Amino acid sequence: MSGRQLARLPSSWILLACIGLLALNLRGPFVAVAPVVGLMQVDLGFSPVMLGLLTSIPVLCFSLAAPLASLAARKFGAEFAVSLTILGVLAGVLVRSAGGPGLVVAGTVVIGLAITVGNIAVPLIIRRDFSPRRQGAAMGVYTAALNIGSFMTSVVTAPLAEAVGWRSALASAGVLAVAAIVFWVLAVGVRAAFHPEADGGGGEVRQAPVHGSAGITAGLTAGFAGQAFSYYAVTAWLPSYLNDELGMSASAAGAGSSLFQILAIVGGLGVPLVARSMSTTAVAVTLGALWTTVPAGLLIAPGLWWLWSSFGGVAQGGGITLIFIAIIKLARDQASAGRMSATVQGVGYCFAAVAPPLVGFVHDASGSWTAPLLMVLASVLTFFAATTLSVRKVPKVR
């Protein structure tokens, strides 16, 4: 599609499509490792710990590099930050597939740093360029696309690796990055995409500061930490639970756990719609109740795992959407939105990074899934309470 054809479309539609295409690149490149770890171990001689790090490194980057990513988005401008994200993902994907163990690790670090910039920049663009009435819907499309990217990658990578090898399968993620940068440049122009320009918030009408904003930031941080810990723990260990407790084969357990991923799309797109008729507090309570059914349900009625996975999928997709909506609605201006987002994501993803190894350690030490599920229950309840208390002042979408 040419720039002239794009010009005939409403600018908000073009921007929303670009955000969706960008989001497809923000989870898939590191999720792609899981389906091919066996092949990588044979070729590279990686230990199980190192293989686990290939998934954990990007999440650690999300945490440790979040303040730097927020600064980059402000100093260089959101448009340039998005270009850095896409080009960084493309470079990381290619480096990871190009050589031996050192390049695999280096490429993984580049992917993690690039995605961290995008994690911060996209909510800022949505806050700046969409009307308050459409910010929730735009955020829903963004989080839904994150999960679509994860699901697509999980489904496609293994069969592709069997056909062309794991290196080419992992490198194929670069196709989406190429498409994203092409559409981004057509949408915002070459100068905006590649010329750093500080985002000073010129012309922005500042909102009055929300009373108790420090407490709200702390609450959203705790809520995001509970959400992230629960999500990464369930994502990493649900297939093993289904195999151990219900005797499902590895392939069946993997396919069954995909319910938890794909139904996040319902939550991401559904929360902005439901928020038009319900208060944000009611939405948070509903999501918290749905999330709670995952650990509680697996403890009490494991045979209904498909129901708990479905409820949890809706909850995890809706939970991250609700927290990001709260950030862009409650922040006073772009700078404070960037700082709040960096704090919430920086701390939250720190908990996410430790979730899989910690849950695995507790399972090995206890010899059962009861203690790990109780840990997940505690983190879900943290999300439930902290998010519900923190979003009470988010204005209702009209």
Side-chain angles (χ1 to χ4, degrees):
M1 182 177 290
S2 68
R4 182 175 298 177
Q5 288 173 309
L6 284 174
R8 297 172 183 171
L9 297 174
S11 59
S12 60
W13 291 12
I14 297 171
L15 182 58
L16 190 60
C18 287
I19 287 173
L21 190 54
L22 168 65
L24 294 179
N25 290 275
L26 297 188
R27 293 298 180 269
F30 73 89
V31 171
V33 170
V36 296
V37 288
L39 297 174
M40 295 179 71
Q41 187 171 26
V42 171
D43 277 2
L44 302 174
F46 277 163
S47 67
V49 172
M50 181 57 70
L51 290 171
L53 280 175
L54 294 181
T55 301
S56 298
I57 285 173
V59 184
L60 285 171
C61 289
F62 297 170
S63 172
L64 301 177
L68 184 62
S70 176
L71 179 64
R74 294 199 306 272
K75 295 297 184 181
F76 300 145
E79 285 82 2
F80 185 76
V82 168
S83 299
L84 281 180
T85 296
I86 303 170
L87 294 176
V89 167
L90 179 59
V93 164
L94 295 178
V95 169
R96 184 179 61 181
S97 303
L103 288 179
V104 169
V105 174
T108 301
V109 171
V110 172
I111 290 170
L113 293 174
I115 293 175
T116 305
V117 176
N119 287 344
I120 300 295
V122 173
L124 295 180
I125 289 175
I126 290 174
R127 185 184 185 277
R128 185 194 65 188
D129 293 341
F130 287 86
S131 66
R133 188 171 182 271
R134 294 184 176 180
Q135 287 171 349
M139 189 59 69
V141 169
Y142 168 64
T143 55
L146 290 177
N147 287 280
I148 291 172
S150 297
F151 180 75
M152 287 171 51
T153 304
S154 298
V155 170
V156 169
T157 303
L160 191 59
E162 292 180 1
V164 299
W166 68 266
R167 294 181 188 278
S168 297
L170 292 183
S172 67
V175 173
L176 286 175
V178 171
I181 194 64
V182 168
F183 275 86
W184 184 245
V185 171
L186 289 174
V188 304
V190 173
R191 178 176 174 80
F194 297 114
H195 180 72
E197 186 172 349
D199 188 354
E204 179 185 9
V205 178
R206 293 192 172 192
Q207 300 173 188
V210 177
H211 179 68
S213 58
I216 290 172
T217 300
L220 291 175
T221 301
F224 192 84
Q227 156 89 12
F229 184 98
S230 304
Y231 170 77
Y232 282 93
V234 172
T235 296
W237 293 109
L238 181 58
S240 297
Y241 170 88
L242 295 176
N243 179 266
D244 293 347
E245 297 296 310
L246 300 177
M248 297 174 64
S249 67
S251 59
S257 64
S258 66
L259 282 173
F260 180 72
Q261 302 296 336
I262 196 63
L263 284 173
I265 298 170
V266 177
L269 295 176
V271 160
L273 296 176
V274 174
R276 293 181 180 275
S277 56
M278 295 172 59
S279 68
T280 51
T281 302
V283 173
V285 168
T286 302
L287 294 173
L290 290 174
W291 239 131
T292 303
T293 66
V294 177
L298 292 176
L299 284 168
I300 298 169
L304 295 175
W305 63 268
W306 53 271
L307 182 61
W308 315 135
S309 294
S310 300
F311 285 166
V314 173
Q316 59 99 347
I320 190 172
T321 303
L322 181 63
I323 290 173
F324 281 143
I325 288 175
I327 291 172
I328 64 177
K329 294 286 189 183
L330 295 176
R332 183 181 183 184
D333 51 33
Q334 285 291 90
S336 60
R339 288 191 295 268
M340 184 184 294
S341 184
T343 299
V344 170
Q345 294 190 58
V347 175
Y349 281 122
C350 181
F351 282 86
V354 303
L358 180 58
V359 169
F361 172 79
V362 171
H363 172 256
D364 290 342
S366 65
S368 78
W369 285 103
T370 300
L373 287 173
L374 289 175
M375 289 180 62
V376 175
L377 179 60
S379 67
V380 166
L381 292 177
T382 299
F383 161 78
F384 194 161
T387 305
T388 300
L389 292 173
S390 302
V391 302
R392 291 176 297 169
K393 294 183 180 180
V394 175
K396 188 174 179 180
V397 178
R398 296 294 182 183

